[in-house]
Amino acid sequence: MTNEKVKDLLLDLHESPDNLRTSPEPSQTLRASAIQINEDGSVTLTPPKTPKKSTHETPDHYKLDPEPIAVIKAWGLDFCLGNVLKYVARAGRKAGESRDSDLHKAMNYLRLALENE
């Protein structure tokens, strides 16, 4: 797509957002994180940033089936009860932390939930 076509599309859209139209050349897709119309009328497109690949590996105590977050959402649990479920499900699975530690965290959130009743 030429700079002139891009400029025309942008100006047309700026005048009326309802004028958003698709490219007559469907094989061409405009992807940019920033579009700038320069003083000379040319268009500068900044390509989207390529996401960095994560080198992070998910720890085993997060690999549960079903995942606690799915259960929390399905049951509609609030913050406190969601944390109770999360800590009970993960109790004793996290390296370097005892099962008792997670169960005490769950109890603290359960106390908070009862206090809020």
PDB file of all heavy atoms in Angstrom, residues 63-80:
ATOM      1  N   LYS A  63       1.173 -25.708  38.139  1.00  0.00           N
ATOM      2  CA  LYS A  63       0.650 -26.654  37.139  1.00  0.00           C
ATOM      3  C   LYS A  63      -0.336 -27.609  37.800  1.00  0.00           C
ATOM      4  O   LYS A  63      -0.006 -28.748  38.114  1.00  0.00           O
ATOM      5  CB  LYS A  63       1.813 -27.426  36.503  1.00  0.00           C
ATOM      6  CG  LYS A  63       2.785 -26.544  35.738  1.00  0.00           C
ATOM      7  CD  LYS A  63       3.957 -27.356  35.229  1.00  0.00           C
ATOM      8  CE  LYS A  63       4.989 -26.469  34.560  1.00  0.00           C
ATOM      9  NZ  LYS A  63       6.190 -27.216  34.174  1.00  0.00           N
ATOM     10  N   LEU A  64      -1.536 -27.143  38.012  1.00  0.00           N
ATOM     11  CA  LEU A  64      -2.583 -27.952  38.648  1.00  0.00           C
ATOM     12  C   LEU A  64      -3.723 -28.154  37.658  1.00  0.00           C
ATOM     13  O   LEU A  64      -3.967 -27.330  36.787  1.00  0.00           O
ATOM     14  CB  LEU A  64      -3.097 -27.243  39.903  1.00  0.00           C
ATOM     15  CG  LEU A  64      -2.063 -26.964  40.993  1.00  0.00           C
ATOM     16  CD1 LEU A  64      -2.669 -26.134  42.103  1.00  0.00           C
ATOM     17  CD2 LEU A  64      -1.524 -28.267  41.546  1.00  0.00           C
ATOM     18  N   ASP A  65      -4.428 -29.264  37.827  1.00  0.00           N
ATOM     19  CA  ASP A  65      -5.570 -29.528  36.962  1.00  0.00           C
ATOM     20  C   ASP A  65      -6.749 -29.954  37.816  1.00  0.00           C
ATOM     21  O   ASP A  65      -6.680 -31.016  38.454  1.00  0.00           O
ATOM     22  CB  ASP A  65      -5.209 -30.624  35.954  1.00  0.00           C
ATOM     23  CG  ASP A  65      -6.298 -30.833  34.917  1.00  0.00           C
ATOM     24  OD1 ASP A  65      -7.054 -29.871  34.639  1.00  0.00           O
ATOM     25  OD2 ASP A  65      -6.396 -31.951  34.389  1.00  0.00           O
ATOM     26  N   PRO A  66      -7.805 -29.163  37.904  1.00  0.00           N
ATOM     27  CA  PRO A  66      -7.986 -27.894  37.203  1.00  0.00           C
ATOM     28  C   PRO A  66      -7.167 -26.782  37.866  1.00  0.00           C
ATOM     29  O   PRO A  66      -6.796 -26.890  39.037  1.00  0.00           O
ATOM     30  CB  PRO A  66      -9.486 -27.622  37.341  1.00  0.00           C
ATOM     31  CG  PRO A  66      -9.862 -28.292  38.619  1.00  0.00           C
ATOM     32  CD  PRO A  66      -8.970 -29.502  38.718  1.00  0.00           C
ATOM     33  N   GLU A  67      -6.925 -25.729  37.118  1.00  0.00           N
ATOM     34  CA  GLU A  67      -6.188 -24.599  37.664  1.00  0.00           C
ATOM     35  C   GLU A  67      -7.075 -23.867  38.663  1.00  0.00           C
ATOM     36  O   GLU A  67      -8.266 -23.656  38.413  1.00  0.00           O
ATOM     37  CB  GLU A  67      -5.773 -23.647  36.555  1.00  0.00           C
ATOM     38  CG  GLU A  67      -4.711 -24.211  35.642  1.00  0.00           C
ATOM     39  CD  GLU A  67      -4.240 -23.201  34.615  1.00  0.00           C
ATOM     40  OE1 GLU A  67      -4.571 -22.003  34.737  1.00  0.00           O
ATOM     41  OE2 GLU A  67      -3.536 -23.614  33.689  1.00  0.00           O
ATOM     42  N   PRO A  68      -6.496 -23.459  39.799  1.00  0.00           N
ATOM     43  CA  PRO A  68      -7.293 -22.747  40.801  1.00  0.00           C
ATOM     44  C   PRO A  68      -8.023 -21.528  40.238  1.00  0.00           C
ATOM     45  O   PRO A  68      -9.179 -21.293  40.581  1.00  0.00           O
ATOM     46  CB  PRO A  68      -6.262 -22.344  41.860  1.00  0.00           C
ATOM     47  CG  PRO A  68      -5.216 -23.403  41.773  1.00  0.00           C
ATOM     48  CD  PRO A  68      -5.145 -23.735  40.314  1.00  0.00           C
ATOM     49  N   ILE A  69      -7.382 -20.773  39.344  1.00  0.00           N
ATOM     50  CA  ILE A  69      -8.039 -19.575  38.797  1.00  0.00           C
ATOM     51  C   ILE A  69      -9.303 -19.946  38.030  1.00  0.00           C
ATOM     52  O   ILE A  69     -10.306 -19.224  38.084  1.00  0.00           O
ATOM     53  CB  ILE A  69      -7.064 -18.745  37.917  1.00  0.00           C
ATOM     54  CG1 ILE A  69      -7.677 -17.387  37.554  1.00  0.00           C
ATOM     55  CG2 ILE A  69      -6.653 -19.487  36.672  1.00  0.00           C
ATOM     56  CD1 ILE A  69      -7.810 -16.445  38.700  1.00  0.00           C
ATOM     57  N   ALA A  70      -9.303 -21.097  37.346  1.00  0.00           N
ATOM     58  CA  ALA A  70     -10.496 -21.536  36.612  1.00  0.00           C
ATOM     59  C   ALA A  70     -11.626 -21.870  37.583  1.00  0.00           C
ATOM     60  O   ALA A  70     -12.787 -21.534  37.334  1.00  0.00           O
ATOM     61  CB  ALA A  70     -10.160 -22.741  35.740  1.00  0.00           C
ATOM     62  N   VAL A  71     -11.286 -22.504  38.689  1.00  0.00           N
ATOM     63  CA  VAL A  71     -12.295 -22.855  39.701  1.00  0.00           C
ATOM     64  C   VAL A  71     -12.816 -21.585  40.364  1.00  0.00           C
ATOM     65  O   VAL A  71     -14.027 -21.434  40.577  1.00  0.00           O
ATOM     66  CB  VAL A  71     -11.704 -23.830  40.742  1.00  0.00           C
ATOM     67  CG1 VAL A  71     -12.717 -24.148  41.835  1.00  0.00           C
ATOM     68  CG2 VAL A  71     -11.215 -25.108  40.066  1.00  0.00           C
ATOM     69  N   ILE A  72     -11.917 -20.678  40.703  1.00  0.00           N
ATOM     70  CA  ILE A  72     -12.311 -19.406  41.335  1.00  0.00           C
ATOM     71  C   ILE A  72     -13.304 -18.664  40.456  1.00  0.00           C
ATOM     72  O   ILE A  72     -14.343 -18.181  40.925  1.00  0.00           O
ATOM     73  CB  ILE A  72     -11.055 -18.547  41.627  1.00  0.00           C
ATOM     74  CG1 ILE A  72     -10.220 -19.189  42.740  1.00  0.00           C
ATOM     75  CG2 ILE A  72     -11.445 -17.117  41.992  1.00  0.00           C
ATOM     76  CD1 ILE A  72      -8.806 -18.633  42.869  1.00  0.00           C
ATOM     77  N   LYS A  73     -13.014 -18.590  39.159  1.00  0.00           N
ATOM     78  CA  LYS A  73     -13.927 -17.904  38.223  1.00  0.00           C
ATOM     79  C   LYS A  73     -15.242 -18.658  38.082  1.00  0.00           C
ATOM     80  O   LYS A  73     -16.315 -18.059  38.108  1.00  0.00           O
ATOM     81  CB  LYS A  73     -13.263 -17.749  36.854  1.00  0.00           C
ATOM     82  CG  LYS A  73     -12.183 -16.702  36.822  1.00  0.00           C
ATOM     83  CD  LYS A  73     -11.570 -16.619  35.429  1.00  0.00           C
ATOM     84  CE  LYS A  73     -10.508 -15.556  35.358  1.00  0.00           C
ATOM     85  NZ  LYS A  73      -9.905 -15.444  34.016  1.00  0.00           N
ATOM     86  N   ALA A  74     -15.158 -19.988  37.930  1.00  0.00           N
ATOM     87  CA  ALA A  74     -16.370 -20.798  37.742  1.00  0.00           C
ATOM     88  C   ALA A  74     -17.302 -20.709  38.948  1.00  0.00           C
ATOM     89  O   ALA A  74     -18.519 -20.677  38.798  1.00  0.00           O
ATOM     90  CB  ALA A  74     -15.990 -22.255  37.465  1.00  0.00           C
ATOM     91  N   TRP A  75     -16.736 -20.669  40.133  1.00  0.00           N
ATOM     92  CA  TRP A  75     -17.537 -20.604  41.355  1.00  0.00           C
ATOM     93  C   TRP A  75     -17.863 -19.169  41.761  1.00  0.00           C
ATOM     94  O   TRP A  75     -18.615 -18.962  42.706  1.00  0.00           O
ATOM     95  CB  TRP A  75     -16.823 -21.302  42.503  1.00  0.00           C
ATOM     96  CG  TRP A  75     -16.720 -22.796  42.347  1.00  0.00           C
ATOM     97  CD1 TRP A  75     -17.244 -23.582  41.359  1.00  0.00           C
ATOM     98  CD2 TRP A  75     -16.021 -23.677  43.229  1.00  0.00           C
ATOM     99  NE1 TRP A  75     -16.926 -24.897  41.557  1.00  0.00           N
ATOM    100  CE2 TRP A  75     -16.172 -24.993  42.707  1.00  0.00           C
ATOM    101  CE3 TRP A  75     -15.303 -23.515  44.392  1.00  0.00           C
ATOM    102  CZ2 TRP A  75     -15.627 -26.108  43.308  1.00  0.00           C
ATOM    103  CZ3 TRP A  75     -14.746 -24.632  44.997  1.00  0.00           C
ATOM    104  CH2 TRP A  75     -14.913 -25.907  44.463  1.00  0.00           C
ATOM    105  N   GLY A  76     -17.259 -18.186  41.105  1.00  0.00           N
ATOM    106  CA  GLY A  76     -17.530 -16.778  41.423  1.00  0.00           C
ATOM    107  C   GLY A  76     -17.032 -16.377  42.804  1.00  0.00           C
ATOM    108  O   GLY A  76     -17.688 -15.595  43.497  1.00  0.00           O
ATOM    109  N   LEU A  77     -15.881 -16.906  43.200  1.00  0.00           N
ATOM    110  CA  LEU A  77     -15.351 -16.604  44.536  1.00  0.00           C
ATOM    111  C   LEU A  77     -14.775 -15.191  44.593  1.00  0.00           C
ATOM    112  O   LEU A  77     -14.210 -14.714  43.616  1.00  0.00           O
ATOM    113  CB  LEU A  77     -14.262 -17.618  44.917  1.00  0.00           C
ATOM    114  CG  LEU A  77     -14.705 -19.081  44.995  1.00  0.00           C
ATOM    115  CD1 LEU A  77     -13.522 -19.961  45.366  1.00  0.00           C
ATOM    116  CD2 LEU A  77     -15.836 -19.250  45.990  1.00  0.00           C
ATOM    117  N   ASP A  78     -14.916 -14.567  45.752  1.00  0.00           N
ATOM    118  CA  ASP A  78     -14.327 -13.236  45.938  1.00  0.00           C
ATOM    119  C   ASP A  78     -12.833 -13.387  46.226  1.00  0.00           C
ATOM    120  O   ASP A  78     -12.283 -14.491  46.224  1.00  0.00           O
ATOM    121  CB  ASP A  78     -15.046 -12.468  47.051  1.00  0.00           C
ATOM    122  CG  ASP A  78     -14.917 -13.115  48.424  1.00  0.00           C
ATOM    123  OD1 ASP A  78     -14.061 -14.004  48.614  1.00  0.00           O
ATOM    124  OD2 ASP A  78     -15.687 -12.733  49.318  1.00  0.00           O
ATOM    125  N   PHE A  79     -12.167 -12.254  46.479  1.00  0.00           N
ATOM    126  CA  PHE A  79     -10.723 -12.244  46.684  1.00  0.00           C
ATOM    127  C   PHE A  79     -10.289 -13.184  47.811  1.00  0.00           C
ATOM    128  O   PHE A  79      -9.381 -14.003  47.631  1.00  0.00           O
ATOM    129  CB  PHE A  79     -10.262 -10.813  46.974  1.00  0.00           C
ATOM    130  CG  PHE A  79      -8.793 -10.679  47.216  1.00  0.00           C
ATOM    131  CD1 PHE A  79      -7.897 -10.662  46.161  1.00  0.00           C
ATOM    132  CD2 PHE A  79      -8.290 -10.577  48.508  1.00  0.00           C
ATOM    133  CE1 PHE A  79      -6.532 -10.538  46.374  1.00  0.00           C
ATOM    134  CE2 PHE A  79      -6.934 -10.452  48.739  1.00  0.00           C
ATOM    135  CZ  PHE A  79      -6.047 -10.438  47.671  1.00  0.00           C
ATOM    136  N   CYS A  80     -10.926 -13.047  48.957  1.00  0.00           N
ATOM    137  CA  CYS A  80     -10.510 -13.851  50.121  1.00  0.00           C
ATOM    138  C   CYS A  80     -10.725 -15.345  49.893  1.00  0.00           C
ATOM    139  O   CYS A  80      -9.808 -16.149  50.095  1.00  0.00           O
ATOM    140  CB  CYS A  80     -11.250 -13.395  51.377  1.00  0.00           C
ATOM    141  SG  CYS A  80     -10.711 -11.767  51.960  1.00  0.00           S
TER     142      CYS A  80
END
